[in-house]
Every structure is written in structure tokens, then in C-alpha cells.
Amino acid sequence: MIEDDADINEVTCTQLERAGFACTAAYSGSEARLLLDRGTSGPVGDGADCGFDCIVTDLMLPGMTGERLIAMLRERGAGVPIIVISARDAVADRVAVLRLGADDYLVKPFDLGELVVRVQAQLRGRGYGSGACASAPSPGQADDRKPSERASAPVAAAEPASPAIVAGRWTLNPAARVFAIDGEPVSLTNIEFNIVELLMAHPNTVFTKQQVYELCWNEPYMVDDNTVTAHVSKIRAKLKPSGTDAYIRTVWGLGFKLDVSVCEAGGASPIVTLSQGFRETLA
């Protein structure tokens, strides 16, 4: 799901996940390209050649436009179905994008139910039956494997359980990849889980955006500056109903850290704090 508007991205992914799909969110064209490049290995040509079974993308994206992404995939010979969602409603725009290689086009604002049906239709045409995932993801964690991989993957041998990480009201099980607040699982995407795990494993340690990206995406930091911020905002939105969103602090001028002390003391915990360097500059 490639959409720079965090709210649209989140609600669309949520709807698709409820329909049984495992979604990976990208908030810029350059981030999407990194994800697509990482999923490509060797000659391309079939529907799953880029590591994904279907792509839903906006056109006006920071870093790299949707048109360039579509052209890049088709030039590589990728046959993955591509559904465009865009506010550009002119017939000429729609025709041009479809000629470029998109398989479908929805004009914003669009009905989420219609998008789900169109994704199912595209996957049905690629031999994925009803288009839904073969099995549901484990509690608290989306399954990023392709449907074909989920159907044929062997059962892994049992491994020793990793100790759970506890921070305030949070509990994280790295082995099961389950994150819970007060014992209630909270659904996180793969990247969101990596970010929370990183911060919980190193409480009160400040990580720059570059460090968060390289450690959680396992890729060199070459994306737009708001990519990490957008993911942290999504995590905070999921934490807000529990009142623990302030656990993740933004240290202005540096990055992010986990600090549960103020919340646990019952006080008001500002989400943004100033680094020492900024304090000195303001002074």
C-alpha cells in the first residue's frame, strides 16, 4: 500500500487486513522502491516477482511518483497487478496510467469495500482463488508472506522461547512477535513491531531516524525524512486508546526514545522533549 497520507494509508491497510490480506505500508515512492527492490531477486516476470502479490498506489508521491514506479516495474517485466488510487479523475489521466501498465484505477474518494473487491478480482485472475490469505496472521502481527508461500511453507521446528520484554504496561514477545498492552494484543505491522522492539530493548536510549530506519528496515538510509516519523505516528495512534502513546518520546533535534517513567508516575508526559543541544541554542 503506497500512500503518503498516513490516515488514508492506515485506514486502507486496516480494511484490507480485515478482509484477510497482509499489508505492507509505504509512505513515499522512494520507500516503496526500496521495498520492491528488496523483494526482487534474479529475472522477473511472474506476478510475485517483486515480493508482493498486488500493489495499491497513489500517483502523487514524494521521492518517486506512482507513474515512475509503474513504469519501472513493467520495464523489469514484473507482472504483479497494480491498482492506482488517485484524486486525478480526468479520463486522459486514467487512460495514460492504464496504458503505462496499471491494471485498475480508482478515483479518490473511493469506497473501501470496492477496493477490497477489486484487489480480490486481480488476485483471482492470478490464480489465488478468492484472493484472501490462506490463513490468518498470528495475534498482534501481520503475516508478510505471499499467499503461495503461506500455503506451501513447511512447519518450522520449535525453538527455545525468547524472554518477553516488559516496559510499563507493555509486553513484547520477540519469538512469537506479539505486542500487548495490559495483556491485550495490539496489531502491528512488521516494521511497526521492529520499531517498538528496538525501543523496548533499549529504554531511555535515543535513536536517530537514520538508526531507526537502518535497524528496523535493515536497509541503508536513503529515504525521505518523514518515513520514520510517519511510522512512529501510526504506532502512537494505535497506542493512544490505552493512554500509553507518550511512552514513545520525540527528542527534538535527535530522534526517538522509550520513556515510561513519567506516565507510570501518573503525570503528564510530553511527547516532544528538547535535546541538550537545542536547549543550549534556545538559551
Side-chain angles (χ1 to χ4, degrees), residues 40 66 85 183 235:
T40 303
I85 52 172
I235 295 171

Side-chain angles (χ1 to χ4, degrees), residues 155-166:
V155 177
E159 297 180 358
S162 301
I165 304 173
V166 179

Side-chain angles (χ1 to χ4, degrees), residues 122-203:
Q122 291 296 330
L123 293 180
R124 225 174 13 246
R126 266 71 175 181
Y128 287 127
S130 65
C133 297
S135 60
S138 59
Q141 180 60 34
D143 188 344
D144 288 335
R145 294 176 296 170
K146 301 187 289 296
S148 55
E149 292 174 339
R150 285 192 291 271
S152 61
V155 177
E159 297 180 358
S162 301
I165 304 173
V166 179
R169 294 163 56 196
W170 294 2
T171 304
L172 183 142
N173 187 321
R177 292 188 72 77
V178 174
F179 172 68
I181 301 176
D182 297 331
E184 292 295 323
V186 176
S187 179
L188 299 176
T189 66
N190 187 50
I191 294 298
E192 290 168 358
F193 187 93
N194 291 347
I195 293 172
V196 172
E197 182 179 15
L198 173 67
L199 296 177
M200 289 184 69
H202 306 277

Side-chain angles (χ1 to χ4, degrees), residues 256-267:
F256 304 98
K257 71 173 181 177
L258 181 74
D259 183 0
V260 305
S261 59
V262 177
C263 287
E264 293 306 296

Side-chain angles (χ1 to χ4, degrees), residues 32-110:
R33 179 170 184 171
L34 283 173
L35 291 169
L36 293 167
D37 287 343
R38 184 170 60 186
T40 303
S41 58
V44 296
D46 64 359
D49 43 43
C50 63
F52 298 93
D53 297 310
C54 185
I55 295 172
V56 179
T57 182
D58 191 7
L59 294 178
M60 294 179 285
L61 298 167
M64 186 177 190
T65 65
E67 291 95 332
R68 288 178 59 196
L69 281 171
I70 295 169
M72 176 193 74
L73 286 167
R74 295 314 186 217
E75 286 169 2
R76 293 178 176 179
V80 59
I82 301 173
I83 300 175
V84 170
I85 52 172
S86 175
R88 287 157 49 181
D89 59 356
V91 174
D93 288 330
R94 285 178 279 166
V95 169
V97 171
L98 291 169
R99 283 178 174 169
L100 191 62
D103 296 276
D104 204 349
Y105 195 114
L106 271 175
V107 176
K108 294 178 180 177
F110 56 89

Side-chain angles (χ1 to χ4, degrees), residues 230-255:
H231 279 80
V232 171
S233 296
K234 283 192 64 179
I235 295 171
R236 282 178 174 149
K238 294 180 179 181
L239 300 173
K240 193 167 186 177
S242 69
T244 63
D245 51 308
Y247 279 15
I248 300 179
R249 306 278 290 277
T250 298
V251 182
W252 195 264
L254 289 180

Side-chain angles (χ1 to χ4, degrees), residues 3-7 9 25-32 60-64 191 195 208-210 212-213 217 221-236 256:
E3 167 65 62
D4 60 325
D5 186 304
D7 291 333
N9 198 318
Y27 296 88
S28 68
S30 50
E31 181 186 8
M60 294 179 285
L61 298 167
M64 186 177 190
I191 294 298
I195 293 172
T208 66
K209 291 180 182 179
Q210 178 175 348
V212 171
Y213 189 90
W217 274 260
Y221 186 70
M222 298 184 296
V223 299
D224 301 284
D225 193 54
N226 68 341
T227 297
V228 173
T229 302
H231 279 80
V232 171
S233 296
K234 283 192 64 179
I235 295 171
R236 282 178 174 149
F256 304 98

